């Protein structure tokens, strides 16, 4: 019988319910259970596809092309699962499904109301979606962690008022997770226990820790597993949990890092780090794998443009100082013309100075534009997204894109990329695979008709789609690491299994890429996690996973 765990919050929006929900799922999964997760959002939008990154952070893309809340990225990374678009439930989706039923006549002429029709639709959706397998073994989940979102406003009521409000809805909390900067004193726990009518062991302290990998360990140390075992009436194994050993090793390694590696992240949404949440996580996973502490230098690409020297000279020089001092350069995805010339300036610097470079989605397209302008001599080369009248359209609109409608009209979700070159660096980083399946989110593509002009000059399209019509991966000859990918590899990066393009960027930036490739992309024993630290799939061994890493020679 399916068990449901509801994680709700009542103090401040954005204080970490997503991490708590992910951590609860992680410790249950470490006990051998199959766990899924559902996020419920109150907005009327059908999905997160048209949200502003400044307001909501990044849009996370799933295998099936679902554009969803970034919390689903946390669920996937913590639990190592593959979710679908229906794991993110919105008010818009529910109302749309109910209205569609009404139009079909499913309600037999009844007056359709919030209660019972909308409330029933929510319950039916959750019950149905909770049964969808999300693990690689295809087994139906046993536990579903549900996170209903706040409406986004700041909430100032203290803990006992939040609990009182919950009781007013006929619900009693089983566990109260208290976010705090330091460990809660016993007197405070007892006070919360008394005023909220729960036992002291039901008050869990979630204090600040050195890394989010420590949160599942923190919950486990306070007896959350044994409590949930009793409350859910589920026989949970008490054997040493291999998966949590892995998390402890990751946390310990994270705390011990001494060597630093800096990456310049050149984008247009740099004022709000959640806009690049998965990109930052992918960089962190790769840095951890090679035992380096990551430093991200956020650069607003608009300040790299020549006109910024007149308009904002201080910001212009600061931006260029950050770019020039970074060990590697990353240009992530994005939309719109603002800041694109600055990104092209960053690409130009990386190419000329032989700085390790990774371009993702738009970043790859702008690398194509930069090369066309400065090496092929096509000075007006551009994407038709930014200059529809350019005489050298090196990036063009895809045929299936519907410009009349914005939502859900991109090339979305998991697509296959075939490697056309056996000697490419990126193919080696993927374990010499013949193809990879990665997630996409784009409306424009490299113009395939101009491919030969680039390849004659050493700018190679080493990965293409199955038909050979879409350019998916670029590499530049005679450069330490100059790679562009049309897909978004950050969406499938995991703490124990970093994304290969990001790993390559970190390796090259730390000066370790060549030695790593010469060793056949093999691990040094001291950079692996121990055999005691099982993978994130129930009952499987860590030895089945290949964690890319290098020795510190």
């Amino acid at each position: 019988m399916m068990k449901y765990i509801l994680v709700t919050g009542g103090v401040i929006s954005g204080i970490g319910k997503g991490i708590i929900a992910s951590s609860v799922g992680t410790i249950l999964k470490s006990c051998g259970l199959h766990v899924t997760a559902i996020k419920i959002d109150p907005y009327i939008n059908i999905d997160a596809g048209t949200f502003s990154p400044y307001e909501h952070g990044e849009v996370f893309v799933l295998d099936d092309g679902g554009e969803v809340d970034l919390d689903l990225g946390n669920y996937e990374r913590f639990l190592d699962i593959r979710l679908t678009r229906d794991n993110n439930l919105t008010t818009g989706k529910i109302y749309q499904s109910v209205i569609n039923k009404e139009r079909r006549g499913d309600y037999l002429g009844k007056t359709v109301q919030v209660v019972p029709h909308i409330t029933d639709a929510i319950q039916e959706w959750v019950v149905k979606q909770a049964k969808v397998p999300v693990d690689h073994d295809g087994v139906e989940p046993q536990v579903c962690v549900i996170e209903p979102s706040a409406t986004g406003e700041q909430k100032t009521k203290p803990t006992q008022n939040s609990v009182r409000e919950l009781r007013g809805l006929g619900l009693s909390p089983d566990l109260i997770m208290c976010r705090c900067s330091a460990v809660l004193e016993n007197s405070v726990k007892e006070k919360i226990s008394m005023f909220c009518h729960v036992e002291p062991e039901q008050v869990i302290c979630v204090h600040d820790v050195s890394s989010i990998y420590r949160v599942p360990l923190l919950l486990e140390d306070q007896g959350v597993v044994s409590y949930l075992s009793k409350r859910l009436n589920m026989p949970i194994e008490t054997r040493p949990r291999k998966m949590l050993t892995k998390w402890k090793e990751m946390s310990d390694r994270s705390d011990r890092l001494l060597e630093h590696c800096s990456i310049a992240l050149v984008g247009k949404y740099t004022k709000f780090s959640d806009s690049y949440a998965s990109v930052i996580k992918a960089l962190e996973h790769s840095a951890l794998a090679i035992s380096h502490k990551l430093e991200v230098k956020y650069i607003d690409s608009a300040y790299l443009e020549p006109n910024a020297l007149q308009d904002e000279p201080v910001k212009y020089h600061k931006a260029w100082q950050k770019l020039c001092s970074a060990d590697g350069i990353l240009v992530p995805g994005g939309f719109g013309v603002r800041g694109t010339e600055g990104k092209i300036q960053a690409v130009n610097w990386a190419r000329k100075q032989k700085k390790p470079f990774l371009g993702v989605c738009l970043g790859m397209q702008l690398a194509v534009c930069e090369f066309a302008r400065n090496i092929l001599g096509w000075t007006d080369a551009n994407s038709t997204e930014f200059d529809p009248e350019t005489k050298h359209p090196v990036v063009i609109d895809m045929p299936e894109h519907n410009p009349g409608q914005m939502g859900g009209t991109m090339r979305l979700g998991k697509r296959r990329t075939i490697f056309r070159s056996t000697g490419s660096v990126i193919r080696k980083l993927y374990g010499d695979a013949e193809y990879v399946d990665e997630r996409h989110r784009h409306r424009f593509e490299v113009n395939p008709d101009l491919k030969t002009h680039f390849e004659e000059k050493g700018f190679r399209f080493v990965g293409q789609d199955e038909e050979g019509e879409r350019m998916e991966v670029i590499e530049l000859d005679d450069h330490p690491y100059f790679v562009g990918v049309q897909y978004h590899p950050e969406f499938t990066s995991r703490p124990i299994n970093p994304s290969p393009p990001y790993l390559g960027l970190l390796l090259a930036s730390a000066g370790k890429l060549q030695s790593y490739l010469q060793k056949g992309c093999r691990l040094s024993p001291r950079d692996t996690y121990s055999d005691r630290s099982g993978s994130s799939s129930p009952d499987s061994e860590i030895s089945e996973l290949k964690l890319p890493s290098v020795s510190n020679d």
Side-chain angles (χ1 to χ4, degrees), residues 25-141:
T26 299
I27 58 177
L28 289 175
K29 190 165 182 181
S30 77
C31 299
L33 298 174
H34 286 78
V35 183
T36 187
I38 293 175
K39 175 81 189 290
I40 302 177
D41 283 306
Y43 42 74
I44 309 294
N45 305 58
I46 299 298
D47 60 28
T50 54
F51 280 165
S52 160
Y54 279 126
E55 190 178 341
H56 287 273
E58 78 169 5
V59 176
F60 192 79
V61 179
L62 302 170
D63 280 353
D64 65 355
E67 296 173 286
V68 296
D69 186 273
L70 58 83
D71 272 330
L72 272 78
N74 275 329
Y75 304 157
E76 284 207 343
R77 283 187 287 269
F78 269 71
L79 296 163
D80 193 17
I81 53 179
R82 297 290 181 111
L83 300 172
T84 65
R85 68 179 77 229
D86 288 343
N87 286 84
N88 192 186
L89 184 50
T90 69
T91 301
K93 280 183 183 175
I94 287 294
Y95 273 79
Q96 186 182 55
S97 71
V98 169
I99 288 167
N100 288 343
K101 281 183 179 179
E102 186 274 331
R103 292 288 83 188
R104 287 200 307 266
D106 290 8
Y107 297 116
L108 302 173
K110 290 178 184 170
T111 304
V112 179
Q113 301 179 80
V114 172
V115 181
H117 301 103
I118 296 294
T119 51
D120 283 355
I122 294 169
Q123 289 181 61
E124 287 163 11
W125 191 300
V126 168
V127 169
K128 181 182 175 187
Q129 191 59 28
K131 294 176 181 175
V132 176
V134 292
D135 277 302
H136 304 293
D137 57 14
V139 175
E140 186 177 303

Side-chain angles (χ1 to χ4, degrees), residues 100-371:
N100 288 343
K101 281 183 179 179
E102 186 274 331
R103 292 288 83 188
R104 287 200 307 266
D106 290 8
Y107 297 116
L108 302 173
K110 290 178 184 170
T111 304
V112 179
Q113 301 179 80
V114 172
V115 181
H117 301 103
I118 296 294
T119 51
D120 283 355
I122 294 169
Q123 289 181 61
E124 287 163 11
W125 191 300
V126 168
V127 169
K128 181 182 175 187
Q129 191 59 28
K131 294 176 181 175
V132 176
V134 292
D135 277 302
H136 304 293
D137 57 14
V139 175
E140 186 177 303
Q142 299 154 282
V143 178
C144 178
V145 180
I146 303 168
E147 184 195 344
S149 175
T151 49
E153 80 280 7
Q154 193 170 40
K155 310 185 206 75
T156 54
K157 295 178 181 176
T159 307
Q160 57 240 55
N161 282 6
S162 301
V163 173
R164 190 181 303 136
E165 213 171 280
L166 198 62
R167 289 184 187 281
L169 298 170
L171 298 169
S172 296
D174 293 300
L175 290 170
I176 297 175
M177 306 267 183
C178 299
R179 277 292 286 117
C180 43
S181 56
V183 179
L184 279 184
E185 294 176 12
N186 280 338
S187 59
V188 178
K189 284 183 85 165
E190 285 165 9
K191 190 174 181 182
I192 293 170
S193 161
M194 182 171 67
F195 281 106
C196 299
H197 307 289
V198 296
E199 294 298 322
E201 59 265 26
Q202 292 172 262
V203 180
I204 307 298
C205 166
V206 186
H207 56 79
D208 290 352
V209 284
S210 56
S211 121
I212 60 167
Y213 304 129
R214 290 208 178 275
V215 180
L217 304 170
L218 196 62
L219 302 187
E220 221 251 351
D221 287 345
Q222 296 179 69
V224 169
V225 170
S226 55
Y227 180 82
L228 290 175
S229 175
K230 286 184 287 188
R231 184 66 183 85
L232 298 176
N233 193 25
M234 293 188 85
I236 292 177
E237 300 168 31
T238 55
R239 63 178 168 81
R241 289 186 269 281
K242 290 191 263 182
M243 183 179 164
L244 284 187
T245 307
K246 172 197 72 179
W247 284 79
K248 185 174 189 316
E249 289 186 26
M250 281 195 296
S251 305
D252 291 345
R253 181 190 287 193
S254 179
D255 292 345
R256 286 197 307 264
L257 299 178
L258 297 174
E259 293 183 273
H260 286 251
C261 187
S262 61
I263 300 295
L265 194 157
V266 184
K268 62 188 279 191
Y269 311 119
T270 51
K271 291 184 179 71
F272 185 39
S273 62
D274 269 0
S275 303
Y276 299 112
S278 292
V279 169
I280 301 303
K281 292 298 176 196
L283 289 171
E284 287 175 356
H285 300 161
S286 296
L288 193 58
I290 66 166
S291 298
H292 276 60
K293 190 176 275 296
L294 174 71
E295 181 193 354
V296 178
K297 299 184 178 211
Y298 294 96
I299 301 173
D300 187 327
S301 55
Y303 296 131
L304 296 173
E305 296 175 3
N307 58 359
L309 181 56
Q310 269 68 46
D311 303 338
E312 299 268 13
V314 175
K315 289 180 177 175
Y316 173 86
H317 288 296
K318 275 186 179 174
W320 273 100
Q321 192 276 329
K322 282 184 184 178
L323 186 73
C324 297
S325 62
D327 298 317
I329 297 169
L330 170 65
V331 178
F335 297 92
V337 70
R338 187 181 74 79
T340 51
E341 291 301 319
K343 291 175 185 177
I344 288 175
Q345 293 282 342
V347 175
N348 179 262
W349 169 263
R351 182 179 58 78
K352 284 183 170 177
Q353 301 298 321
K354 296 196 181 297
K355 282 272 187 184
F357 167 81
L358 176 62
V360 174
C361 196
L362 176 63
M364 168 183 145
Q365 295 172 2
L366 294 178
V368 171
C369 294
E370 190 278 331
F371 194 86

